[in-house]
C-alpha cells in the first residue's frame, strides 16, 4: 500500500504536468485562432483551468508541507 505522502507527491507532480499541458494548449488555440473550432473560447477555458490548477497546486503544496513538518 502506498503512503498518503507518496500519493500526494504524485498528485503534485501530475498537477504540474497538467498545468504545462494546459498552457501549451492555450498557446496553440491562440495561434490557430479558428472561429469554426471555438479557439477563442477554448483558450479562455484553458486559462480558467490553469487558474484552478494553480489553486489546487497551492492546496496540495500545503498538504505536503504539513507532511514534512509533522
Amino acid at each position: 500500500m502506498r503512503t498518503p505522502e507518496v500519493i500526494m507527491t504524485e498528485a503534485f507532480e501530475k498537477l504540474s504536468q497538467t498545468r504545462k499541458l494546459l498552457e501549451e494548449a492555450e498557446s496553440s488555440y491562440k495561434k490557430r485562432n479558428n472561429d469554426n473550432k471555438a479557439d477563442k473560447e477554448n483558450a479562455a477555458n484553458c486559462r480558467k483551468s490553469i487558474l484552478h490548477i494553480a489553486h489546487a497546486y497551492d492546496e496540495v503544496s500545503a498538504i505536503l508541507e504539513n507532511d514534512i513538518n509533522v
Side-chain angles (χ1 to χ4, degrees):
M1 184 171 124
R2 297 186 306 159
T3 65
E5 293 81 8
V6 169
I7 295 167
M8 292 308 298
T9 299
E10 185 178 333
F12 186 80
E13 292 167 357
K14 290 190 187 277
L15 281 172
S16 179
Q17 181 183 16
T18 300
R19 181 177 178 160
K20 288 176 187 174
L21 291 169
L22 286 167
E23 289 170 346
E24 184 179 348
E26 177 189 23
S27 176
S28 294
Y29 283 127
K30 286 180 176 180
K31 285 178 186 171
R32 186 172 68 183
N33 196 28
N34 185 333
D35 289 335
N36 294 329
K37 294 188 178 274
D39 287 345
K40 288 180 185 176
E41 292 83 358
N42 289 337
N45 288 333
C46 282
R47 175 58 29 201
K48 289 177 192 173
S49 296
I50 291 164
L51 296 173
H52 289 296
I53 290 284
H55 181 73
Y57 195 84
D58 289 344
E59 296 300 325
V60 172
S61 292
I63 293 167
L64 290 174
E65 284 180 30
N66 288 339
D67 285 342
I68 291 169
N69 292 329
V70 173

